[in-house]
Structures are given as C-alpha cells and as structure tokens.
DNA sequence: ACACTTAGTGCACATATGTTCAAACATAGC
DNA sequence: GCTATGTTTGAACATATGTGCACTAAGTGT
C-alpha cells in the first residue's frame, strides 16, 4: 500500500508541517518534492492516522453528564466523547477516548478478555504500541472471521495482541452451538479448551454493547442465530446483548437457550468480571440503559448525545 | 484570559474544523462569526493546546535506538521522541511523550514524588485530567517559587495535583541550607516535617536530569548555591544533578556538603526509588550518560538526537 | 467631559493549500 | 515488443487561510 520510503517521507512531511509549522512549499524544497506532492502526502498522513488531531473538550456540560451517569447508575467510571454530526466520526472519537482510557488499565502480567464489533475494533486501532510483559489476550466467544474487514486484515485479537506484545488465545469456533454433541466436540478441542480455561483469569474485559435490531445483531443473526432463537429473544423481552449474551430491560440475562449455548464465556462469569464497555449511538441507548441498571458495566465509554438519551430514560 | 463563552466557542470551532473537516467560512456562518475571527480562534486553540496534533512516528530507527539504550545501560524503559529543529518544540514533544508514558504508571492509592524544572513542567502541562482515588503528590526538595513562570501561575506541584485529583505535600523551603541550626528549625516545622515524612512512601518519582553549566543549574546557582560550593562540585568531577543532588561521570553521588544539606530527599533514598526521568538536549547528554551508568533511572524519556549522542559516548 | 490607551473587529489583500487535468510513466496481458 | 489500463506526476487554476491595517468601542486617567 505504501512502501517504506514513501512512508518515511509521509512522516517527515507531517512532522515538518504539523509540528514544526513550516509551509508546504518550504517542505517541498527541503524534501525535493513538488508542492502538490507534499499536499497529497499530508492528506494520506491524516487518512492513515499517522497524524492524529485531538481536542481537549473538557467542559462543564460534559463533566456534569459524566457525574450524573456515574451517580445515577453507580458506575465507577464514565468517559464522554463529543458527538459529531457524522456517525462514523463519532465512532472514531469514542474509539480514541476508549483507547486512551484503556491504556490506564493495562499493565504487565495481566489477562485481557476481548469481544468483537465495530467499537472494539476502533478502540484497537487507536491503541498505542507498548511492550507489556506477560500479557495475555483472550477471545471470549467464538466467531470465525465474521469481523474481518477490508481495511485491516487482522482479527481484532491479533491486532490487539501485536500492539500490546501479548499472547493471543483465539477461539476459532461458531458463537452458538445448540447441539450437545457438537458442543462437546468443539469444547474438547485442545486449542479451544486452552482458550476457554483462560477466561476465568481475565482481569478486564473489553467489549461493546449491542442493541436488538442493530446492524451488529443483524450480522449475528444472518450468520449464527436461527429464526426461532430470534423470536425467543424478542418474546422474552430482550433489549440488548453483551459478549454474545442477551439481556432484558433491567440488564438481567434472559433465561433462554441462546444464552446457554455460547461457545465461550458464561453469564455467571460476565457478572463477576470488570467490564470495560464501549458503546455509542442513540439506537443503543436502551441497551446501554439496561446494562447500566443491571450493573454489568464498570467503565463505560460513550458519547454526549447517547448518554443524554440514556439519562432521559431514568426520568420516566 | 479567555472568558467562558469564548472558550466554548474556541472548542466548538476546533471540533468543527479539525474533527468534522468543515471550512472556516462554513464555521463562521454556523457560529455567527466573521471568517477572520474563526481563523483567530483556531490559532488560539492551537496555542492553548486545546487542539493537540501528534504524529505516530514509530519507525525502525527509533525502535532500534530505544532497544540499544535499554540494553546497553540496562534501563527498564526508554521512550524516544522526535528531535525537531526548534529546541523548544523538541521539549514539547518530549513532554508530550512523557505525559503519555507517565499515565501508564499512575493508579489509585499511589504517592508520586515530583521535582522542578522545564521538563517536569512541560510534562505536567500535557497530563490529562483524571480523578484518581487517594493520590498523593510530594515535592521532593525545597524551592520557593523559583520555578513559577508567567504562563501558568501554579507551581508544578499544584498543577499536577489538581489534574490528578491528588493531595499536594508542598515543601516551601530553600533547596539547600548549610547552617545546622537553621536546618533543624526548618525541618521541624510541622508543614515541612509532614511532607518530608511522605518521601519514603513515593511509588514513583518524576524528575528531570540537569547538566553542569546548563541554564537550569544557573538558576540554582544564582539563587541557592554559594560560590565555594560551585567550585566544590566542579572540583569533585560533577557532571550532572538529579533531584538537587550532584553526581560524577559514573553516576555516583559526590561526597560533598551540597549533597548533604538538601532540604528534602536524601541520596540514599534516591537510589532505592523508581525514577521516571525526562531529559532532552545534547548539552545534557553527558549527564544522562552518567545517570544511566549509575543505574539511577528506571524510565527515561528523551529525544532521538540526544540519545544518539549518549550512545556515542559508550563507544569511547 | 475629554483626550488617550487598549483590545478587539472585519475588510481587503497576500499567501498557502487543495484539486483538476493532461501528459508521463509504470504494469500487465497478449 | 506493443497496446491497453491504471497510477503518478506537476503546472495551472480555484479555493481556503492568515494577517496588516484602519476603525470602533470600552475602559482609564486627568
């Protein structure tokens, strides 16, 4: 995509432009390029996130919001990113904030459990490289390649573990398996067994929160959940899901088959773990509200508008 | 300096410009301002670090350098910032990198020891606000207002403790007091005593490294060190200082009066503590080299060119 | 009340930046 | 070796941005 020389040139130009404040013409001369070329390099640098622009928008509104959510739901930690007009840009902001906050929790000799989804992926993409000692990354439920996308060809787990210098415990399996024999067979596979045994060691779990009828759920449904399960979830009042497990409007896990046949973490384990959740977008407000009520979340990263919507729900 | 409304306007403009990618004219319309006004707001936002632009310049050169320093001197952690043409800009970069790295080490229930100087101040200025529980900030040696400057009117200690929600233990005293009676009197002051007693609790110490003949030392000398001490330091082969204590080319603390009459941390204590040192600039290379040889440093934050110079010294 | 200073404004201009386009160059297929 | 196809280039143009300057309004001292 970008050869080594060009990559270095991109960095050099970015440093000269954004940090040293030179003009593109000056840079062009210095690096023996045409001025338009410099302009293009800088554009690429922004696209590839070689240049990262962030804004310190701590203000009273946001701090108040943060405090209110924290108090109302008794969540230990809440981070609020700015909501932008473009939904994808908001996702980016939330991901950036999440990556920054997550770094606070990371340390040597830890086991980090991870989930799938847009939010986790975006967070991973903004994580800074750091060589932790004895770090383990554990995939908490199955999913064969469903989250691979064109941009980065690595699974989220691979991308995180390479950034943090951690050992990855992958879970190459379908998410849900109903048939007892098939389940047994999969679970007893040494590779799978090895990963499953690491789940109880997780010091922190990184995950998104899903809403029923969301795009993410659509993917799940298309690929993994049979039609009758769908009805079961809705029929039992499911409003959202976390780590592949569905919960109702009070954040209580539903007592249904789907929740029982996940290859990976169990509902009981979820309740005992520190959950670092990234979730933004108004359509997720109900699911976020429920998971907060259920006390499932320890750290919540979201955006201003979404949290305002969540707070409004407490008023009714 | 900037009233609340203007401050909010500055943030709004920055978000629209840098995150949402709108043009200044569009923003002007949206916020009911003239275009030049928007341009000026954005300029102010950059100056006040409301907008922060950073560049991911991990490349092989820097990684190699980092590894070499780590191995050659057996320092656990080394972070290398980019050297820019302007010295102050380099200082900024180093400070940014230091703040980011420091955040990794901060946690609830900790005691952080701090020093004075340009580097620590710059690091403090880039620290992000975070409400740690039960955090203590301890000034490790005296200095009455010598480091106050025009830009921020807070002492470094105040600025750090307000950002991290920590309790500050200040040390309002001269750095050096030779006269035993005066020493005794100062040390027995309850306020001073209280701070001194917290020094041994420090989990981490944040400091710069000073070079003999440096500008920082000049300040020290002008204000606190008498002429004969100056000769004593040079006569005994002093090449640098850390936390107000002077050391020789091997990083061994000098056996001289100045080192004994500091109001604050003692040489023996320095050796047992985790030191997070921020030091850049070629003029400091010798001092950095010495402190690394003496094994005084646990984490070193510096810049590319300085560390290259330091490495060259090992060859001789 | 008056002159005098000061900080802030927007216009108009100078400068810097982004983008279109045609030509040059590279790459793959035959 | 040659055409077809796609990429990359910089000149020229269009747009966006920064700033000197003259002007205004608010504050200050006499």
């Amino acid at each position: 995509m970008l050869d080594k020389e060009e990559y270095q040139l991109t960095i050099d130009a970015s440093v000269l432009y954004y940090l040293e404040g030179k003009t593109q013409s000056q840079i062009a001369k210095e690096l023996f390029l045409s001025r338009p070329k410099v302009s293009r390099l800088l554009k690429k640098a922004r696209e590839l996130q070689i240049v990262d622009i962030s804004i310190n928008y701590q203000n009273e509104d946001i701090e108040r919001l943060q405090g209110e959510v924290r108090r109302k739901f008794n969540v230990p930690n809440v981070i609020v990113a700015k909501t932008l007009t473009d939904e994808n840009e908001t996702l980016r902001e939330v991901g950036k904030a999440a990556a920054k906050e997550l770094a606070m929790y990371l340390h040597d000799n830890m086991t980090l459990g991870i989930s799938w989804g847009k939010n986790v992926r975006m967070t991973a993409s903004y994580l800074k490289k750091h060589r932790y000692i004895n770090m383990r990354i554990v995939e908490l439920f199955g999913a064969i390649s469903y989250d691979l996308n064109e941009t980065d060809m690595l699974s989220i787990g691979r991308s995180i573990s390479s950034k943090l210098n951690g050992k990855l415990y992958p879970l190459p399996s379908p998410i849900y398996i109903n048939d007892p024999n098939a389940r047994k067979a999969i679970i007893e596979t040494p590779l799978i067994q090895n990963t499953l045994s690491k789940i109880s060691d997780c010091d922190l779990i990184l995950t998104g929160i899903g809403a029923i009828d969301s795009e993410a759920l659509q993917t799940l449904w298309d690929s993994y959940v049979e039609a009758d399960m769908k009805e079961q979830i809705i029929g039992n009042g499911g409003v959202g899901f976390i780590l592949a497990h569905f919960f109702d409007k009070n954040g209580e896990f539903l007592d249904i088959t789907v929740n029982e046949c996940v290859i990976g973490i169990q509902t009981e384990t979820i309740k005992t773990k520190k959950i670092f959740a990234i979730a933004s977008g108004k359509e997720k407000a109900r699911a976020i509200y429920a998971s907060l009520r259920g006390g499932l979340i320890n750290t919540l990263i979201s955006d201003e508008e979404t949290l305002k919507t969540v707070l409004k729900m407490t008023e009714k």
Side-chain angles (χ1 to χ4, degrees), chain A:
Chain A
M1 180 185 218
L2 209 67
D3 67 16
K4 216 162 126 186
E5 201 180 339
E6 181 106 348
Y7 181 74
Q8 190 55 49
L9 220 49
T10 310
I11 291 179
D12 290 348
S14 303
V15 168
L16 292 170
Y17 189 74
Y18 287 105
L19 299 183
E20 309 216 351
K22 301 189 177 175
T23 69
Q24 298 186 6
S25 314
Q26 284 177 295
I27 296 169
K29 256 182 225 159
E30 203 163 318
L31 302 179
F32 304 102
L33 303 166
S34 72
R35 201 200 40 78
K37 171 91 191 179
V38 175
S39 176
R40 284 191 262 255
L41 282 178
L42 293 174
K43 190 181 185 181
K44 204 171 270 177
R46 287 184 303 258
E47 284 167 2
L48 297 176
Q49 300 172 24
I50 288 170
V51 171
D52 178 66
I53 303 184
S54 66
I55 289 169
N56 289 332
Y57 42 70
Q58 314 105 292
N59 63 25
E60 287 167 25
D61 285 357
I62 282 194
E63 269 174 39
R64 185 150 18 87
L65 195 57
Q66 209 167 327
E68 270 185 62
V69 175
R70 220 183 262 151
R71 265 176 285 113
K72 288 232 169 103
F73 298 100
N74 201 25
V75 214
N77 195 11
V78 178
I79 304 288
V80 187
K82 195 108 181 167
T83 309
L84 306 181
T85 40
D86 182 77
E87 208 171 308
N88 284 317
E89 288 303 313
T90 307
L91 184 65
R92 251 173 212 295
E93 280 304 296
V94 173
K96 252 191 242 182
K100 206 172 270 178
E101 186 62 16
L102 181 62
M104 304 277 215
Y105 288 87
L106 298 177
H107 53 79
D108 293 343
N109 306 309
M110 93 182 281
T111 304
L112 177 67
I114 60 158
S115 168
W116 302 90
K118 277 198 313 239
N119 284 285
V120 178
R121 172 172 290 285
M122 189 59 85
T123 303
S125 90
Y126 279 104
L127 268 183
K128 292 279 187 287
K129 278 200 176 188
H130 195 274
R131 298 187 61 77
Y132 290 99
I133 315 289
N134 190 30
M135 160 82 73
R136 287 163 298 279
I137 312 294
V138 182
E139 291 182 1
L140 295 175
F141 55 90
I144 300 173
S145 81
Y146 101 78
D147 192 72
L148 284 179
N149 65 13
E150 322 76 54
T151 325
D152 15 18
M153 294 311 285
L154 254 46
S155 76
I156 295 182
R158 294 243 164 265
S159 133
I160 294 182
S161 58
S162 87
K163 285 197 174 178
L164 304 182
N165 188 38
K167 175 161 170 39
L168 176 66
Y169 292 81
L171 205 42
S173 138
I175 305 185
Y176 304 105
I177 300 184
N178 213 339
D179 178 71
N181 289 326
R183 258 185 85 76
K184 192 153 176 289
I186 284 274
I187 286 178
E188 284 173 357
T189 314
L191 179 67
I192 303 281
Q193 185 51 53
N194 187 32
T195 298
L196 291 176
S197 73
K198 287 286 175 292
I199 291 179
S200 61
D201 297 346
C202 287
D203 302 303
L204 186 70
I205 288 176
L206 183 62
T207 179
I209 296 173
I212 296 291
D213 287 329
S214 72
E215 185 197 331
L217 186 61
Q218 207 50 54
T219 317
L220 273 189
W221 270 341
D222 289 352
S223 332
Y224 303 102
V225 187
E226 286 141 47
D228 60 327
M229 288 185 171
K230 201 162 157 175
E231 283 153 29
Q232 210 184 13
I233 292 162
I234 293 175
N236 281 272
V239 309
F241 60 97
I242 188 167
L243 295 161
H245 294 257
F246 294 86
F247 52 76
D248 67 14
K249 67 182 199 304
N250 298 316
E252 304 279 356
F253 287 115
L254 301 178
D255 192 14
I256 53 174
T257 346
V258 206
N259 279 353
E260 300 300 320
C261 69
V262 173
I263 302 295
I265 195 167
Q266 310 289 315
T267 49
E268 289 315 306
T269 318
I270 296 178
K271 289 185 197 163
T272 65
K273 291 291 178 187
K274 275 204 174 176
I275 307 284
F276 185 106
I278 308 134
S280 70
K282 284 192 180 176
E283 72 286 358
K284 288 195 174 178
R286 246 163 72 84
I288 295 172
Y289 173 74
S291 62
L292 287 173
R293 283 195 69 180
L296 301 174
I297 310 298
N298 291 78
T299 294
L300 174 66
I301 319 286
S302 189
D303 69 289
E304 213 173 344
E305 290 307 318
T306 304
L307 287 185
K308 277 186 189 158
T309 312
V310 170
L311 274 181
K312 269 185 207 143
M313 293 177 173
T314 63
E315 288 162 15
K316 284 163 204 162

